Amino acid sequence: MLPGVDDGLYSCEVTFEKGIPASRTFSIIIRTEPQVGNFSFPGNLHEGMRTAVTCIVLAGDPPITTRWLKDGLSLIEEDLDASIIYAGNGFVSTLTINTLAYKHNGNYTCLATNDVGTGAVSTRLTVKVPPRWVLEPRDTSAIAGRPARIDCQADGVPQPHVRWKMSTNTPPDDFKTIVSSSHVHILVNGSLNFRSVELSDEGFYLCEANNGVGAGLSTVVRLTVHSAPKFETKFTILSARKGEKVHMNCNAYGDVPMTFTWRKNGIMLDLISKPRYSQHTENLRGGEGAKLIIEKVEREDSASFTCAAMNDFGEDSMNFQLTVQDVPDAPQNLEVHDVGSRSVRLTWNRPFDGNSPILKYTASWRTVEEQSVGEPLTAAGDETTLTIRGLKPKTRYFFRVKCENALGDSQYGAEVAVTTLEE
Protein backbone atom coordinates (compact mmCIF):
# COMPACT_ATOMS: atom_id res chain seq x y z
CA MET A 1 0.00 0.00 0.00
CA LEU A 2 1.24 3.45 -0.90
CA PRO A 3 0.70 6.53 1.26
CA GLY A 4 -1.35 9.26 -0.46
CA VAL A 5 -2.65 6.71 -2.91
CA ASP A 6 -4.20 3.86 -1.03
CA ASP A 7 -5.36 5.63 2.12
CA GLY A 8 -8.99 6.90 2.40
CA LEU A 9 -12.57 5.65 3.08
CA TYR A 10 -13.47 2.12 2.03
CA SER A 11 -17.06 0.61 2.00
CA CYS A 12 -18.18 -2.98 1.98
CA GLU A 13 -21.83 -3.84 1.00
CA VAL A 14 -23.59 -7.23 1.16
CA THR A 15 -26.88 -7.78 -0.81
CA PHE A 16 -29.29 -10.74 -0.37
CA GLU A 17 -31.97 -11.90 -2.85
CA LYS A 18 -34.62 -10.86 -0.39
CA GLY A 19 -34.10 -8.47 2.36
CA ILE A 20 -32.37 -5.25 3.18
CA PRO A 21 -28.72 -4.84 1.98
CA ALA A 22 -25.98 -4.56 4.69
CA SER A 23 -22.95 -2.26 4.39
CA ARG A 24 -19.95 -1.02 6.45
CA THR A 25 -17.66 1.97 5.80
CA PHE A 26 -14.15 2.31 7.32
CA SER A 27 -11.10 4.54 6.96
CA ILE A 28 -7.54 3.37 6.14
CA ILE A 29 -4.66 5.63 7.14
CA ILE A 30 -1.18 4.60 5.89
CA ARG A 31 1.71 5.79 8.16
CA THR A 32 5.34 5.71 7.08
CA GLU A 33 8.58 5.24 9.04
CA PRO A 34 11.17 8.01 9.02
CA GLN A 35 13.58 8.39 6.12
CA VAL A 36 16.87 10.18 6.89
CA GLY A 37 18.87 11.97 4.21
CA ASN A 38 22.57 11.28 3.71
CA PHE A 39 25.07 13.65 5.32
CA SER A 40 28.84 13.74 5.84
CA PHE A 41 31.53 15.72 7.62
CA PRO A 42 33.96 17.87 5.62
CA GLY A 43 37.29 16.33 4.72
CA ASN A 44 40.79 17.32 5.88
CA LEU A 45 39.74 18.27 9.39
CA HIS A 46 42.55 18.90 11.88
CA GLU A 47 42.75 19.02 15.64
CA GLY A 48 41.57 22.44 16.91
CA MET A 49 39.23 23.17 13.98
CA ARG A 50 35.42 23.25 14.23
CA THR A 51 32.79 21.39 12.22
CA ALA A 52 29.05 20.83 11.97
CA VAL A 53 26.76 18.41 10.23
CA THR A 54 22.98 18.53 9.65
CA CYS A 55 20.63 15.57 9.71
CA ILE A 56 17.32 16.02 7.85
CA VAL A 57 14.38 13.63 8.17
CA LEU A 58 13.15 13.61 4.60
CA ALA A 59 9.97 11.63 5.17
CA GLY A 60 7.94 9.91 7.84
CA ASP A 61 4.81 10.62 9.83
CA PRO A 62 5.05 12.58 13.06
CA PRO A 63 5.57 12.52 15.88
CA ILE A 64 9.23 11.73 15.17
CA THR A 65 12.02 11.60 17.76
CA THR A 66 15.56 12.30 16.57
CA ARG A 67 18.76 11.49 18.48
CA TRP A 68 22.50 11.08 17.83
CA LEU A 69 24.83 8.12 18.46
CA LYS A 70 28.63 7.96 18.50
CA ASP A 71 30.16 4.56 17.86
CA GLY A 72 26.81 2.94 18.60
CA LEU A 73 26.27 4.65 21.96
CA SER A 74 24.10 7.66 22.81
CA LEU A 75 26.01 10.86 22.18
CA ILE A 76 26.46 12.93 25.34
CA GLU A 77 27.04 16.56 24.43
CA GLU A 78 29.01 17.38 27.60
CA ASP A 79 31.48 14.53 27.05
CA LEU A 80 32.30 15.67 23.52
CA ASP A 81 31.99 19.45 24.06
CA ALA A 82 29.31 19.37 21.34
CA SER A 83 25.89 20.96 20.84
CA ILE A 84 22.75 19.72 19.06
CA ILE A 85 20.12 22.14 17.72
CA TYR A 86 16.72 20.91 16.53
CA ALA A 87 14.51 22.78 14.04
CA GLY A 88 11.56 22.21 11.71
CA ASN A 89 9.44 20.47 14.33
CA GLY A 90 12.27 18.07 15.01
CA PHE A 91 12.82 17.10 11.39
CA VAL A 92 16.13 18.97 11.24
CA SER A 93 19.00 18.33 13.69
CA THR A 94 22.41 20.02 13.55
CA LEU A 95 25.42 18.63 15.46
CA THR A 96 28.17 21.19 16.08
CA ILE A 97 31.65 20.54 17.51
CA ASN A 98 33.52 23.74 18.28
CA THR A 99 37.03 22.39 18.96
CA LEU A 100 37.97 19.12 17.27
CA ALA A 101 40.20 16.70 19.15
CA TYR A 102 41.38 13.11 18.99
CA LYS A 103 38.37 11.94 21.00
CA HIS A 104 35.96 13.11 18.29
CA ASN A 105 37.14 10.49 15.79
CA GLY A 106 34.48 7.83 15.19
CA ASN A 107 31.18 6.91 13.58
CA TYR A 108 28.22 9.29 14.04
CA THR A 109 24.64 8.15 13.49
CA CYS A 110 21.47 10.22 13.15
CA LEU A 111 18.54 8.08 14.36
CA ALA A 112 14.89 9.07 13.66
CA THR A 113 12.07 7.04 15.26
CA ASN A 114 8.24 7.06 15.17
CA ASP A 115 5.57 4.51 16.03
CA VAL A 116 6.09 2.72 12.72
CA GLY A 117 9.84 2.25 12.61
CA THR A 118 13.29 3.78 12.59
CA GLY A 119 15.47 5.40 9.97
CA ALA A 120 19.18 5.97 10.39
CA VAL A 121 22.22 7.24 8.48
CA SER A 122 25.84 7.01 9.68
CA THR A 123 29.02 8.75 8.65
CA ARG A 124 32.57 8.83 9.94
CA LEU A 125 34.33 11.84 11.36
CA THR A 126 38.09 11.81 10.88
CA VAL A 127 40.12 14.40 12.76
CA LYS A 128 43.77 14.47 11.78
CA VAL A 129 45.84 14.51 14.97
CA PRO A 130 49.65 14.80 15.26
CA PRO A 131 51.44 11.85 16.89
CA ARG A 132 51.32 11.60 20.68
CA TRP A 133 53.11 9.18 22.98
CA VAL A 134 51.29 6.16 24.29
CA LEU A 135 54.53 4.65 25.66
CA GLU A 136 57.44 7.06 25.35
CA PRO A 137 60.87 5.40 25.06
CA ARG A 138 62.98 5.35 28.22
CA ASP A 139 66.58 4.46 29.02
CA THR A 140 66.70 0.67 29.27
CA SER A 141 69.07 -1.87 30.81
CA ALA A 142 69.42 -5.40 29.48
CA ILE A 143 71.47 -8.51 30.19
CA ALA A 144 73.57 -10.01 27.41
CA GLY A 145 72.17 -13.25 26.09
CA ARG A 146 68.61 -12.50 27.18
CA PRO A 147 65.67 -10.89 25.32
CA ALA A 148 64.95 -7.18 25.74
CA ARG A 149 62.53 -4.55 24.47
CA ILE A 150 62.56 -0.76 24.19
CA ASP A 151 58.99 0.55 24.11
CA CYS A 152 58.03 3.21 21.60
CA GLN A 153 54.30 3.42 20.99
CA ALA A 154 52.58 6.45 19.48
CA ASP A 155 49.01 7.22 18.53
CA GLY A 156 47.50 9.76 16.14
CA VAL A 157 45.32 10.09 13.04
CA PRO A 158 46.35 8.67 10.70
CA GLN A 159 48.27 6.04 12.67
CA PRO A 160 51.91 7.20 12.95
CA HIS A 161 54.76 5.29 11.31
CA VAL A 162 57.55 4.43 13.77
CA ARG A 163 61.19 4.31 12.67
CA TRP A 164 64.24 3.36 14.75
CA LYS A 165 67.86 4.48 14.37
CA MET A 166 71.02 3.67 16.37
CA SER A 167 74.29 5.38 17.20
CA THR A 168 77.24 3.95 19.13
CA ASN A 169 78.97 7.33 19.48
CA THR A 170 79.09 9.40 22.67
CA PRO A 171 77.55 11.95 22.46
CA PRO A 172 75.19 10.32 19.99
CA ASP A 173 75.36 11.34 16.33
CA ASP A 174 75.40 9.70 12.91
CA PHE A 175 72.34 7.61 13.59
CA LYS A 176 71.83 4.64 11.25
CA THR A 177 68.41 3.22 10.39
CA ILE A 178 67.59 -0.17 11.94
CA VAL A 179 66.16 -2.81 9.61
CA SER A 180 64.25 -5.69 11.19
CA SER A 181 66.18 -8.97 11.27
CA SER A 182 66.29 -12.22 13.21
CA HIS A 183 68.29 -10.44 15.91
CA VAL A 184 66.33 -7.18 16.31
CA HIS A 185 62.76 -6.63 15.14
CA ILE A 186 60.42 -3.63 15.11
CA LEU A 187 57.07 -4.81 16.47
CA VAL A 188 53.70 -3.82 15.00
CA ASN A 189 53.11 -1.45 17.94
CA GLY A 190 56.45 0.29 17.25
CA SER A 191 58.53 -1.18 20.10
CA LEU A 192 62.04 -2.46 19.37
CA ASN A 193 62.48 -6.12 20.33
CA PHE A 194 65.83 -7.90 20.79
CA ARG A 195 65.74 -11.68 20.57
CA SER A 196 69.05 -12.06 22.41
CA VAL A 197 70.95 -8.93 23.44
CA GLU A 198 74.61 -8.68 22.54
CA LEU A 199 77.26 -6.38 24.01
CA SER A 200 77.49 -4.66 20.62
CA ASP A 201 73.84 -3.57 21.00
CA GLU A 202 74.78 -1.07 23.68
CA GLY A 203 74.38 2.51 22.52
CA PHE A 204 71.88 5.27 21.77
CA TYR A 205 68.57 4.64 20.02
CA LEU A 206 66.39 7.24 18.27
CA CYS A 207 62.66 6.55 17.93
CA GLU A 208 60.75 8.69 15.44
CA ALA A 209 56.95 8.71 15.02
CA ASN A 210 55.41 10.59 12.09
CA ASN A 211 52.02 10.59 10.35
CA GLY A 212 52.30 13.68 8.13
CA VAL A 213 50.41 15.84 10.63
CA GLY A 214 52.47 18.28 12.64
CA ALA A 215 56.17 18.01 13.39
CA GLY A 216 56.11 14.40 14.60
CA LEU A 217 57.81 12.95 17.69
CA SER A 218 61.36 11.81 18.38
CA THR A 219 63.24 10.68 21.48
CA VAL A 220 66.79 9.45 22.06
CA VAL A 221 67.30 6.82 24.76
CA ARG A 222 70.25 4.74 25.88
CA LEU A 223 70.45 0.96 26.00
CA THR A 224 72.92 -0.28 28.61
CA VAL A 225 73.92 -3.93 28.26
CA HIS A 226 75.05 -5.71 31.40
CA SER A 227 76.83 -9.03 31.38
CA ALA A 228 76.57 -11.97 33.73
CA PRO A 229 79.88 -13.73 34.47
CA LYS A 230 81.07 -15.98 31.67
CA PHE A 231 84.04 -18.33 31.48
CA GLU A 232 85.79 -18.84 28.17
CA THR A 233 87.09 -22.21 29.42
CA LYS A 234 84.71 -24.50 31.28
CA PHE A 235 87.04 -27.38 32.23
CA THR A 236 90.75 -27.61 33.00
CA ILE A 237 92.86 -30.67 33.91
CA LEU A 238 95.80 -30.09 36.27
CA SER A 239 98.43 -32.44 37.66
CA ALA A 240 101.14 -31.84 40.25
CA ARG A 241 103.63 -33.82 42.27
CA LYS A 242 103.13 -34.14 45.98
CA GLY A 243 104.63 -31.13 47.74
CA GLU A 244 104.38 -28.77 44.78
CA LYS A 245 102.38 -25.51 44.71
CA VAL A 246 99.26 -25.45 42.54
CA HIS A 247 97.51 -22.41 41.00
CA MET A 248 93.93 -22.61 39.68
CA ASN A 249 93.13 -19.55 37.57
CA CYS A 250 89.42 -18.73 37.48
CA ASN A 251 88.98 -15.79 35.05
CA ALA A 252 85.42 -14.60 34.43
CA TYR A 253 84.32 -11.90 32.00
CA GLY A 254 81.32 -9.67 32.68
CA ASP A 255 80.22 -6.79 34.89
CA VAL A 256 82.18 -6.20 38.08
CA PRO A 257 82.25 -6.51 41.02
CA MET A 258 82.05 -10.29 41.19
CA THR A 259 81.93 -12.76 44.06
CA PHE A 260 83.82 -16.06 43.80
CA THR A 261 83.15 -19.30 45.66
CA TRP A 262 84.94 -22.64 45.49
CA ARG A 263 83.71 -26.21 45.92
CA LYS A 264 85.74 -29.38 46.34
CA ASN A 265 83.95 -32.51 45.17
CA GLY A 266 80.69 -30.57 45.42
CA ILE A 267 81.24 -29.38 49.02
CA MET A 268 81.71 -25.68 49.75
CA LEU A 269 85.37 -24.96 50.46
CA ASP A 270 86.10 -23.05 53.67
CA LEU A 271 89.39 -21.32 52.95
CA ILE A 272 89.74 -20.09 56.53
CA SER A 273 89.86 -23.61 57.94
CA LYS A 274 92.46 -24.79 55.40
CA PRO A 275 95.75 -22.99 55.95
CA ARG A 276 97.31 -24.50 52.82
CA TYR A 277 94.53 -22.94 50.69
CA SER A 278 94.30 -19.25 49.77
CA GLN A 279 92.54 -17.11 47.17
CA HIS A 280 93.76 -14.01 45.36
CA THR A 281 91.57 -11.83 43.12
CA GLU A 282 92.60 -9.43 40.35
CA ASN A 283 90.95 -7.07 37.90
CA LEU A 284 90.92 -8.14 34.27
CA ARG A 285 90.10 -6.27 31.09
CA GLY A 286 86.36 -6.84 30.86
CA GLY A 287 86.04 -8.92 34.00
CA GLU A 288 87.63 -10.22 37.18
CA GLY A 289 89.78 -13.18 38.11
CA ALA A 290 90.24 -15.36 41.18
CA LYS A 291 93.21 -17.64 41.81
CA LEU A 292 93.05 -20.58 44.22
CA ILE A 293 96.52 -21.44 45.55
CA ILE A 294 97.30 -24.73 47.29
CA GLU A 295 100.64 -24.87 49.09
CA LYS A 296 102.44 -28.24 49.09
CA VAL A 297 99.69 -30.39 47.66
CA GLU A 298 98.89 -33.70 49.31
CA ARG A 299 97.19 -36.81 48.01
CA GLU A 300 93.92 -35.62 49.57
CA ASP A 301 93.99 -32.63 47.23
CA SER A 302 93.26 -34.87 44.24
CA ALA A 303 89.67 -33.82 43.57
CA SER A 304 87.24 -31.97 41.34
CA PHE A 305 87.18 -28.23 42.11
CA THR A 306 84.40 -25.87 40.97
CA CYS A 307 84.84 -22.11 40.77
CA ALA A 308 81.58 -20.09 40.66
CA ALA A 309 81.51 -16.39 39.77
CA MET A 310 78.45 -14.24 40.58
CA ASN A 311 77.38 -10.63 40.02
CA ASP A 312 74.08 -8.75 40.05
CA PHE A 313 73.12 -10.15 36.66
CA GLY A 314 73.81 -13.88 36.93
CA GLU A 315 76.47 -16.50 37.52
CA ASP A 316 78.64 -19.05 35.76
CA SER A 317 81.05 -21.78 36.84
CA MET A 318 84.05 -23.73 35.62
CA ASN A 319 85.64 -26.97 36.82
CA PHE A 320 89.18 -28.12 37.54
CA GLN A 321 90.27 -31.73 37.84
CA LEU A 322 93.41 -31.83 40.00
CA THR A 323 95.51 -34.98 40.15
CA VAL A 324 98.29 -35.13 42.75
CA GLN A 325 101.05 -37.60 41.83
CA ASP A 326 103.14 -39.45 44.43
CA VAL A 327 105.31 -42.54 44.75
CA PRO A 328 103.15 -45.66 44.82
CA ASP A 329 102.05 -47.50 47.94
CA ALA A 330 103.82 -50.72 48.90
CA PRO A 331 102.44 -53.94 47.35
CA GLN A 332 99.99 -55.70 49.65
CA ASN A 333 99.02 -59.28 50.51
CA LEU A 334 102.30 -60.91 49.42
CA GLU A 335 101.87 -64.70 49.22
CA VAL A 336 104.19 -67.65 48.37
CA HIS A 337 102.97 -70.43 46.07
CA ASP A 338 104.43 -73.51 44.37
CA VAL A 339 107.16 -73.97 46.97
CA GLY A 340 109.89 -76.34 45.76
CA SER A 341 113.41 -77.21 46.90
CA ARG A 342 115.04 -74.47 44.79
CA SER A 343 112.19 -72.17 43.66
CA VAL A 344 109.02 -70.42 44.82
CA ARG A 345 106.37 -68.25 43.12
CA LEU A 346 105.38 -64.94 44.68
CA THR A 347 102.03 -63.13 44.15
CA TRP A 348 100.79 -59.78 45.47
CA ASN A 349 97.98 -57.28 45.07
CA ARG A 350 98.45 -54.23 42.90
CA PRO A 351 98.71 -51.15 45.19
CA PHE A 352 97.64 -47.54 44.63
CA ASP A 353 99.95 -46.28 41.90
CA GLY A 354 100.23 -42.68 43.16
CA ASN A 355 98.36 -41.44 40.05
CA SER A 356 101.35 -42.43 37.91
CA PRO A 357 101.65 -45.84 36.20
CA ILE A 358 103.73 -48.47 38.02
CA LEU A 359 106.82 -49.19 35.93
CA LYS A 360 108.13 -52.31 37.69
CA TYR A 361 108.08 -54.46 40.82
CA THR A 362 111.27 -55.54 42.63
CA ALA A 363 111.48 -58.66 44.82
CA SER A 364 114.33 -59.30 47.26
CA TRP A 365 114.90 -62.05 49.78
CA ARG A 366 117.18 -63.08 52.59
CA THR A 367 117.89 -66.03 54.89
CA VAL A 368 117.75 -65.87 58.65
CA GLU A 369 121.44 -65.12 58.95
CA GLU A 370 121.88 -62.85 55.92
CA GLN A 371 120.55 -59.40 55.11
CA SER A 372 120.08 -60.20 51.41
CA VAL A 373 120.80 -63.05 49.05
CA GLY A 374 121.63 -62.55 45.36
CA GLU A 375 120.52 -59.81 43.01
CA PRO A 376 116.87 -58.63 43.36
CA LEU A 377 114.51 -59.75 40.59
CA THR A 378 112.05 -57.45 38.77
CA ALA A 379 108.67 -57.89 37.14
CA ALA A 380 106.88 -55.59 34.68
CA GLY A 381 104.50 -52.99 36.08
CA ASP A 382 101.46 -54.86 34.78
CA GLU A 383 102.48 -58.17 36.46
CA THR A 384 101.54 -59.31 39.97
CA THR A 385 103.54 -62.57 40.10
CA LEU A 386 107.23 -63.55 40.00
CA THR A 387 109.09 -66.86 40.24
CA ILE A 388 112.31 -66.95 42.30
CA ARG A 389 114.84 -69.66 41.33
CA GLY A 390 118.31 -70.71 42.52
CA LEU A 391 117.31 -71.15 46.15
CA LYS A 392 118.86 -73.71 48.56
CA PRO A 393 116.89 -76.75 49.64
CA LYS A 394 115.49 -76.94 53.15
CA THR A 395 116.31 -73.28 53.85
CA ARG A 396 114.10 -70.60 55.43
CA TYR A 397 113.77 -67.46 53.35
CA PHE A 398 112.15 -64.06 53.92
CA PHE A 399 110.65 -62.39 50.79
CA ARG A 400 109.48 -58.81 50.25
CA VAL A 401 108.36 -56.72 47.24
CA LYS A 402 108.36 -53.00 46.35
CA CYS A 403 107.26 -51.08 43.23
CA GLU A 404 108.36 -48.04 41.29
CA ASN A 405 106.72 -45.29 39.17
CA ALA A 406 108.11 -42.15 37.51
CA LEU A 407 108.27 -40.36 40.85
CA GLY A 408 110.27 -43.00 42.72
CA ASP A 409 110.18 -46.22 44.72
CA SER A 410 107.57 -47.30 47.22
CA GLN A 411 108.37 -48.79 50.59
CA TYR A 412 108.78 -52.56 50.77
CA GLY A 413 105.69 -54.45 51.69
CA ALA A 414 105.54 -56.82 54.66
CA GLU A 415 107.94 -59.76 54.56
CA VAL A 416 106.68 -63.30 54.08
CA ALA A 417 108.72 -66.31 55.36
CA VAL A 418 108.79 -69.78 53.80
CA THR A 419 111.07 -72.85 54.01
CA THR A 420 112.08 -74.62 50.80
CA LEU A 421 111.59 -78.38 50.47
CA GLU A 422 114.25 -81.06 50.65
CA GLU A 423 115.67 -82.34 47.40
Side-chain angles (χ1 to χ4, degrees):
M1 298 181 70
L2 299 176
V5 176
D6 297 319
D7 48 356
L9 292 174
Y10 287 80
S11 297
C12 177
E13 184 176 293
V14 180
T15 303
F16 298 93
E17 292 182 0
K18 296 179 179 180
I20 300 174
S23 65
R24 175 67 60 87
T25 299
F26 55 91
S27 176
I28 294 179
I29 299 174
I30 301 174
R31 292 181 59 80
T32 59
E33 65 182 20
Q35 180 184 347
V36 179
N38 291 328
F39 60 89
S40 62
F41 289 99
N44 200 31
L45 295 173
H46 289 251
E47 191 176 39
M49 297 175 66
R50 67 179 63 90
T51 190
V53 68
T54 298
C55 170
I56 301 176
V57 181
L58 302 177
D61 291 313
I64 293 176
T65 301
T66 303
R67 62 193 181 99
W68 287 86
L69 307 179
K70 181 181 183 294
D71 297 326
L73 301 176
S74 294
L75 186 150
I76 301 176
E77 296 175 63
E78 293 79 8
D79 292 348
L80 294 178
D81 300 323
S83 62
I84 301 173
I85 299 176
Y86 296 95
N89 295 323
F91 298 127
V92 179
S93 175
T94 301
L95 171 65
T96 302
I97 303 174
N98 290 319
T99 305
L100 290 172
Y102 178 83
K103 66 181 179 180
H104 294 117
N105 283 283
N107 287 312
Y108 289 78
T109 302
C110 178
L111 198 69
T113 305
N114 64 8
D115 59 344
V116 179
T118 299
V121 169
S122 297
T123 191
R124 181 166 186 82
L125 171 60
T126 299
V127 181
K128 293 184 178 180
V129 180
R132 60 175 185 171
W133 290 122
V134 176
L135 277 178
E136 185 174 359
R138 298 179 181 274
D139 290 344
T140 303
S141 295
I143 299 176
R146 300 183 186 178
R149 185 182 70 209
I150 307 177
D151 288 318
C152 180
Q153 299 180 27
D155 203 352
V157 181
Q159 181 64 34
H161 173 71
V162 174
R163 182 170 61 175
W164 282 94
K165 297 180 180 181
M166 180 194 179
S167 173
T168 57
N169 299 331
T170 303
D173 60 5
D174 190 24
F175 283 92
K176 296 181 180 180
T177 301
I178 297 174
V179 179
S180 290
S181 65
S182 59
H183 171 61
V184 60
H185 182 71
I186 301 175
L187 301 179
V188 175
N189 62 13
S191 296
L192 190 64
N193 188 69
F194 296 85
R195 184 176 181 181
S196 178
V197 176
E198 300 174 358
L199 292 175
S200 59
D201 294 323
E202 184 167 284
F204 295 90
Y205 288 80
L206 168 64
C207 179
E208 298 176 325
N210 292 284
N211 66 353
V213 181
L217 300 173
S218 65
T219 297
V220 175
V221 295
R222 181 168 189 167
L223 174 64
T224 302
V225 179
H226 297 288
S227 180
K230 185 176 182 180
F231 291 101
E232 294 182 348
T233 302
K234 302 291 287 184
F235 185 72
T236 300
I237 298 177
L238 300 173
S239 62
R241 295 191 176 193
K242 181 181 177 181
E244 291 182 340
K245 179 187 288 189
V246 170
H247 297 255
M248 297 186 196
N249 294 317
C250 178
N251 295 331
Y253 297 91
D255 284 21
V256 294
M258 297 183 187
T259 302
F260 293 87
T261 58
W262 292 86
R263 290 180 180 271
K264 179 181 178 182
N265 291 333
I267 300 174
M268 189 67 71
L269 199 58
D270 182 6
L271 300 179
I272 298 178
S273 64
K274 293 184 176 295
R276 291 189 299 109
Y277 287 51
S278 61
Q279 175 183 263
H280 298 279
T281 59
E282 60 179 343
N283 293 324
L284 304 175
R285 181 181 180 87
E288 192 171 348
K291 181 184 295 184
L292 181 67
I293 301 174
I294 306 177
E295 302 283 351
K296 297 181 180 179
V297 291
E298 302 286 348
R299 281 189 180 182
E300 65 183 33
D301 297 321
S302 289
S304 174
F305 291 83
T306 300
C307 173
M310 292 156 283
N311 64 11
D312 292 337
F313 310 104
E315 64 178 283
D316 196 12
S317 62
M318 70 172 297
N319 294 297
F320 299 84
Q321 184 62 53
L322 174 61
T323 300
V324 178
Q325 297 177 321
D326 193 6
V327 297
D329 288 345
Q332 302 295 317
N333 301 322
L334 179 62
E335 296 181 354
V336 181
H337 302 274
D338 304 332
V339 179
S341 60
R342 294 183 178 273
S343 66
V344 297
R345 183 171 63 87
L346 304 180
T347 64
W348 57 87
N349 291 342
R350 179 180 177 84
F352 171 62
D353 63 5
N355 292 316
S356 179
I358 293 176
L359 301 177
K360 67 179 179 179
Y361 293 91
T362 302
S364 62
W365 61 94
R366 66 181 177 85
T367 59
V368 176
E369 297 84 4
E370 299 172 312
Q371 187 66 28
S372 63
V373 177
E375 291 293 329
L377 292 181
T378 61
D382 58 353
E383 299 288 341
T384 55
T385 183
L386 181 65
T387 299
I388 309 295
R389 295 182 174 86
L391 303 177
K392 296 179 181 179
K394 202 177 181 180
T395 304
R396 189 165 183 79
Y397 288 93
F398 296 86
F399 297 93
R400 60 180 182 170
V401 178
K402 69 176 182 178
C403 57
E404 177 185 343
N405 64 11
L407 283 79
D409 294 351
S410 71
Q411 299 292 325
Y412 275 103
E415 282 188 325
V416 175
V418 68
T419 302
T420 54
L421 302 178
E422 292 184 2
E423 269 189 327

